[in-house]
Amino acid sequence: MTATIEPNALAIDTSSDYLSLAVAREGITVASYYERLGKRMAGEMFGVLDGLLQQAGIGLSDIDVIVAARGPGSFTGTRLGLAMARTFAQGQSCPLVGVDTLRLLAAQAEPEPGAIIHAALNSIRDEVYHAAYRWDGEILIEQAPVSVMALEDLVTSAQGNPVVFRRFLPPKKDEPEFPPELVSATLRHPHPDGALLLREGLAMYANPGQEGLPPAEPIYLKTEAFRKWKP
Amino acid sequence: METLGLALDTTFDDTSVAIIRGKRELLANVTLSQYADHAEFGGVVPERASRKHLEVINPLIAEATAKAGVKLEELDWIAVSHMPGLLGAILVGLTVAKSLAYQLGKPLIGINHIEAHPYANQLVHGELPFPLLHLVAAGGHTLLIHQTDHFEWQVVGRSVDDAAGECVDKVAKMFGHAMPGGPVVDRMAMEHSPASIRFPRPLMNDPGANFSFSGLKTAMLYYLRDNKDTLEEGPILSAFMESVVEVLAVKTLRLAKELGVAAVTLSGGLAASQRLRREFEERSKKAGIKVYVPPPGLCTDNAAMVGSLAAYRFEANRVDDLTLDGQANLLT
C-alpha cells in the first residue's frame, strides 16, 4: 500500500474512558464513534470497529495509514489502542502515526494565526498534564512539550493565553468544570474525538517536519501523587 | 491437512509467542522474560510488566513468524491466554490477539493459562491417556487437577496459603538470592545432603488433597533465627527442598491411586526443579504410577503449551468471539 496525500485512514483512541474511532476514505472522515464505554471498552471495541468500517464501506485491508493516541491518560487504556494499532500496522505493513492527547485537545480550538494555545488534562490533586502549541496556519507547532505541573503553575504558564482544559477525572463537589483562573479557548470542535484525531494524525503524516514523526509509543507521565511509586 | 496456529501469553512477566502446526509440531516458541526489569523491586510490578509486554510483543511476533518460516496470512487460528494473571498484562496480549484475529478473519481461541500448563506434556509426549491427575505448580498456584477428557477437568486440591514455588522463592530471598531464587535452591538441593536437618511436612499425613506451605516458610525463619552461628546454606536449603518435594510427591501420588488415574503429570515453573523430578521419579516407580514431565524450558510460562491446548479447542470448534474479556482470577 503506497502512502497518498488523501489516504484511507483509521484513528484509534482509548486513552480515556471514551472509545474514540474514526475512518477516512481518501482523506475524508466518513464514519466516527465517540462514546464513554469505561470498563466495557476492551470487550466492545472490535464490534464497534467492524461496524464503523462497514459504515465507511471499506475493509481493514484498505487502510493506508493508522493514527493512534499515545496518551497521556489512562495507562491501561492507552495500551489497548496502541496494541490494536501496532498489530494492524504490523499486519499490513502500513505507517502508524502516534498523536499525544494534549495535541488533540489543542486541535479542538479555533486556529488563531501565530497565537499560543495551551492544552491541559487534569489528573488528581490539582495537577495537570500540559503542553503548549503555536498555530502555523492550520498546523500546530509544539512550543512546550508534554509535562506535568500544578494547576496554579498552569495559570502562570498560560499567561492569559487560551486554554483547552479537559477533565480526566470528574470535578470534586463544588469545583467548577473549567477553572475560572484560566481563559477558555474558543472551540471549533466540541470533543477530542476520532475525527479530530484523524485530522491531526494525517496533518502530522503529511508534514513530519525535520525531526520526522514521533515514535508511536505510549506516554506515561506520573503526577506527583504517583511519583513515590517507581515505574 | 494440519492446522497452523499462533499463540500468545502475557499473563504475568514473560511475553511468549508460539507457532504450532497440528497439535504438537512446534515451529517457534519465543519468550522474553522480565526478571531483570523487576529484580530491584523484589517482585513483579504489574504496571511495569504491562508496559514491557506492549513494548516487545509485536517484535516477538515478527521473530516467531520468521523463525517458523510462515506468514501471518497462513494462520488458521489465534490463541491467547486470557486468564488468570495480572489483568493489565493479560489485556495487552488479548488485544493483540483479537487484532490479529480480526485482521486475518480467523477465529480467536481464549485459553485458561492454568489449564494450558499440563498441555506442555501433550505437546512433548503425544496423546496422553485419560483420566489424568495434574500437579500444576506455577507462580502463585499449587493445584491438583483431575482431568477426565479434554476440556473436562476440575481442581481437586490446592495450597490453602502460599504456593509451593512462592515459598521456595521467599526462602531463597531469606538467603539473599535475587529473584527468581528457585533455581538456586534447587541447585543447592541437588548438590548437598540435608544432613540431620529436618523441616516439617505440612499436611502430608492429612488425608485431604490440599497443601500448605506458609508454615514451612515460617519454620525456616525460626531456624535461621535460632541457628545464626551454625548456618550452612547448602544442607539447610537441601533439607527445606526435601520437605517441599516430599509433600508434593506423597500427596499427589496418594490421590492418583485413590482416583485410579492412568497417569500423573507435572507442569508449571516448579516442575523444572531437578529435585522435584527426582522425588517423583523414585516414588512413582515404587507406586507403579506413570509420571509425565515436560522439558524444563516448557515448565515455566510459555505460549507453546497455550498453542497445544488451543489446537485441541480448534479441532473441537471451541472458539471465542472478540468480546472475550480478561480475567485476573482462576475461579470466579
Short mmCIF file of all heavy atoms in Angstrom, two decimals, chain B residues 40 60 66 103 107 120 131 152 206 219 224 230 235 260 295-296:
data_model
loop_
_atom_site.label_atom_id
_atom_site.label_comp_id
_atom_site.label_asym_id
_atom_site.label_seq_id
_atom_site.Cartn_x
_atom_site.Cartn_y
_atom_site.Cartn_z
N GLU B 40 15.06 -5.25 41.03
CA GLU B 40 15.31 -4.29 42.10
C GLU B 40 14.11 -4.14 43.04
O GLU B 40 14.24 -3.61 44.15
CB GLU B 40 15.69 -2.93 41.53
CG GLU B 40 14.62 -2.25 40.71
CD GLU B 40 15.05 -0.88 40.19
OE1 GLU B 40 15.27 0.03 41.02
OE2 GLU B 40 15.17 -0.75 38.96
N LEU B 60 8.24 -9.64 18.87
CA LEU B 60 8.33 -11.08 19.13
C LEU B 60 7.50 -11.87 18.12
O LEU B 60 7.89 -12.96 17.70
CB LEU B 60 7.84 -11.42 20.55
CG LEU B 60 8.90 -11.54 21.64
CD1 LEU B 60 8.27 -12.04 22.93
CD2 LEU B 60 10.03 -12.47 21.26
N ALA B 66 9.18 -15.37 11.54
CA ALA B 66 10.42 -15.55 10.76
C ALA B 66 11.06 -16.89 11.08
O ALA B 66 11.48 -17.63 10.19
CB ALA B 66 11.38 -14.41 11.06
N GLN B 103 -8.05 -8.97 11.89
CA GLN B 103 -7.35 -8.58 10.66
C GLN B 103 -7.30 -9.75 9.68
O GLN B 103 -7.46 -9.57 8.47
CB GLN B 103 -5.94 -8.14 11.01
CG GLN B 103 -5.11 -7.60 9.88
CD GLN B 103 -3.85 -6.94 10.43
OE1 GLN B 103 -3.16 -7.49 11.28
NE2 GLN B 103 -3.55 -5.75 9.94
N PRO B 107 -10.45 -17.38 13.60
CA PRO B 107 -11.04 -17.46 14.95
C PRO B 107 -10.05 -17.15 16.06
O PRO B 107 -8.86 -17.44 15.94
CB PRO B 107 -11.51 -18.92 15.05
CG PRO B 107 -10.84 -19.66 13.95
CD PRO B 107 -10.47 -18.68 12.91
N ALA B 120 1.78 -28.84 28.07
CA ALA B 120 3.20 -28.94 27.70
C ALA B 120 3.57 -30.41 27.58
O ALA B 120 4.44 -30.79 26.78
CB ALA B 120 4.07 -28.26 28.76
N PRO B 131 -8.10 -41.08 32.51
CA PRO B 131 -8.03 -39.82 33.26
C PRO B 131 -6.61 -39.52 33.77
O PRO B 131 -5.79 -40.42 33.92
CB PRO B 131 -8.98 -40.07 34.45
CG PRO B 131 -8.93 -41.55 34.65
CD PRO B 131 -8.70 -42.18 33.33
N GLU B 152 -12.52 -31.27 30.16
CA GLU B 152 -13.30 -31.77 31.31
C GLU B 152 -12.33 -31.94 32.48
O GLU B 152 -11.59 -32.92 32.55
CB GLU B 152 -13.92 -33.14 31.00
CG GLU B 152 -14.76 -33.21 29.74
CD GLU B 152 -16.11 -32.57 29.94
OE1 GLU B 152 -16.61 -32.56 31.08
OE2 GLU B 152 -16.67 -32.04 28.95
N ASP B 206 -2.28 -35.53 56.26
CA ASP B 206 -3.70 -35.19 56.20
C ASP B 206 -4.31 -35.91 54.99
O ASP B 206 -3.75 -35.84 53.90
CB ASP B 206 -3.85 -33.66 56.04
CG ASP B 206 -5.29 -33.20 56.09
OD1 ASP B 206 -5.98 -33.29 55.06
OD2 ASP B 206 -5.71 -32.75 57.17
N ALA B 219 8.84 -21.84 59.50
CA ALA B 219 9.81 -22.74 60.14
C ALA B 219 11.23 -22.35 59.74
O ALA B 219 12.17 -22.40 60.55
CB ALA B 219 9.51 -24.18 59.77
N LEU B 224 16.54 -20.01 60.99
CA LEU B 224 17.62 -19.05 60.75
C LEU B 224 17.86 -18.18 61.98
O LEU B 224 18.99 -17.83 62.33
CB LEU B 224 17.28 -18.15 59.54
CG LEU B 224 17.22 -18.87 58.19
CD1 LEU B 224 16.81 -17.91 57.08
CD2 LEU B 224 18.56 -19.50 57.85
N THR B 230 25.58 -21.24 63.23
CA THR B 230 25.97 -22.51 62.60
C THR B 230 25.31 -22.69 61.24
O THR B 230 24.95 -23.79 60.86
CB THR B 230 25.58 -23.69 63.52
OG1 THR B 230 24.16 -23.55 63.82
CG2 THR B 230 26.35 -23.68 64.80
N PRO B 235 23.18 -27.53 53.13
CA PRO B 235 22.34 -28.52 53.81
C PRO B 235 20.98 -27.97 54.24
O PRO B 235 19.96 -28.69 54.18
CB PRO B 235 23.17 -28.91 55.05
CG PRO B 235 24.57 -28.59 54.66
CD PRO B 235 24.49 -27.40 53.75
N GLY B 260 -7.58 -43.53 40.82
CA GLY B 260 -7.40 -44.56 39.79
C GLY B 260 -7.07 -43.97 38.42
O GLY B 260 -7.56 -44.44 37.40
N PRO B 295 10.09 -30.99 29.30
CA PRO B 295 11.45 -30.46 29.47
C PRO B 295 11.39 -29.15 30.24
O PRO B 295 10.39 -28.43 30.16
CB PRO B 295 11.95 -30.25 28.04
CG PRO B 295 10.74 -30.32 27.17
CD PRO B 295 9.71 -31.08 27.89
N PRO B 296 12.45 -28.81 30.99
CA PRO B 296 12.41 -27.60 31.83
C PRO B 296 11.97 -26.34 31.09
O PRO B 296 11.26 -25.51 31.64
CB PRO B 296 13.86 -27.49 32.32
CG PRO B 296 14.33 -28.89 32.36
CD PRO B 296 13.69 -29.58 31.20
#
